[in-house]
Amino acid sequence: MKNFISFSIVGSLMTMFFLGIVNYTTSPQELWFIYPCLLVLLWPITLFFMSKRMYKQYSLVCSAMIIAFLIIENYLYSPDYIWFIYAIYPIIWWPILMYLDEKAKTLKIALIGCASTIIYYSLLNIILSHPYPWAIYPSFLVIWWPLALYHAQRKTFVAFSVTATILISIFFITVNIVSSPGVIWAFYPIFVVLWWPLSMYFYVYKRKMYNSTTTPEKI
């Protein structure tokens, strides 16, 4: 494994050096070689941490690298608008969940993560881009985390389909109101989603009927 790691380090440095020369000689006005270099650099880093089984440290180092890359990218090409703060939040949660270990699977952490995500992106929406409430999209996605975990732990799959259908319906109605209030289109996807709890109910009902009418001899 040491030989593989050494080979990956030398190979990565050679590749990065080669890409830097090509970038400088062919298109010095545009710094494009940093994009493949980030991926190439992950090669020896991944081999090293995976060989040591340092998965938590690996998530921390990779997250720091990606965040640093996004900050540099933001500074080089669009310094007037701080867009990297939108992307770094979900990246930060990777090492957080890794260091939480088994606690990351609890409903408490899911609720904390859901609430903090909604608050974070809502504040960004209000402060940096007030006219359109785009925070409803990441909020809708992150709500599925505690919702799915809650019903999965209790194995209430029919109730999950009903709750999820209500959530999806509220989401489409909200998007319809804020995006195009003059055209009522939300009932189209809502009609399709309604088949989910309906099919789940009849599946469970028919299974219960079958189990109640089947005798032990036939089984």
Side-chain angles (χ1 to χ4, degrees):
M1 181 57 68
K2 291 183 179 180
N3 293 333
F4 282 116
I5 295 174
S6 300
F7 173 75
S8 65
I9 293 173
V10 175
S12 299
L13 292 176
M14 289 176 57
T15 304
M16 293 168 64
F17 182 71
F18 170 76
L19 293 172
I21 293 176
V22 174
N23 189 172
Y24 179 76
T25 55
T26 59
S27 52
Q29 70 280 358
E30 183 179 357
L31 195 67
W32 55 261
F33 85 101
I34 59 175
Y35 302 106
C37 283
L38 177 66
L39 296 176
V40 172
L41 194 59
L42 288 174
W43 177 22
I45 292 176
T46 302
L47 280 179
F48 174 78
F49 283 103
M50 292 299 105
S51 64
K52 304 291 184 179
R53 296 185 178 181
M54 301 168 62
Y55 306 117
K56 297 177 181 178
Q57 294 82 349
Y58 174 73
S59 65
L60 186 62
V61 171
C62 288
S63 299
M65 286 178 55
I66 297 173
I67 292 173
F69 171 78
L70 293 175
I71 294 174
I72 294 172
E73 182 75 6
N74 193 170
Y75 175 76
L76 290 176
Y77 296 103
S78 52
D80 297 331
Y81 185 72
I82 306 175
W83 54 260
F84 74 89
I85 56 177
Y86 297 96
I88 64 173
Y89 180 82
I91 299 173
I92 292 174
W93 270 96
W94 179 19
I96 291 176
L97 293 176
M98 290 295 294
Y99 275 93
L100 286 173
D101 206 7
E102 290 298 321
K103 293 181 180 179
K105 302 177 183 179
T106 61
L107 183 60
K108 179 181 178 181
I109 297 300
L111 290 172
I112 293 174
C114 177
S116 61
T117 302
I118 294 174
I119 294 172
Y120 179 80
Y121 283 109
S122 296
L123 288 176
L124 290 182
N125 194 172
I126 295 171
I127 297 172
L128 299 180
S129 51
H130 179 65
Y132 184 77
W134 55 262
I136 58 178
Y137 300 104
S139 299
F140 169 71
L141 293 176
V142 77
I143 288 175
W144 287 90
W145 180 11
L147 180 64
L149 186 61
Y150 174 83
H151 288 286
Q153 290 177 346
R154 289 158 178 77
K155 297 182 179 181
T156 52
F157 304 114
V158 177
F160 172 66
S161 65
V162 175
T163 309
T165 301
I166 295 173
L167 174 63
I168 295 172
S169 300
I170 294 174
F171 170 73
F172 279 117
I173 292 172
T174 305
V175 174
N176 193 167
I177 293 173
V178 301
S179 299
S180 51
V183 181
I184 303 176
W185 53 263
F187 64 88
Y188 295 111
I190 291 174
F191 174 76
V192 176
V193 176
L194 286 174
W195 286 92
W196 180 12
L198 186 64
S199 60
M200 288 291 295
Y201 172 77
F202 278 102
Y203 170 75
V204 173
Y205 175 76
K206 290 186 67 176
R207 187 177 62 177
K208 288 182 178 179
M209 290 293 295
Y210 174 78
N211 292 335
S212 62
T213 57
T214 303
T215 59
E217 290 77 14
K218 292 182 180 180
I219 296 177

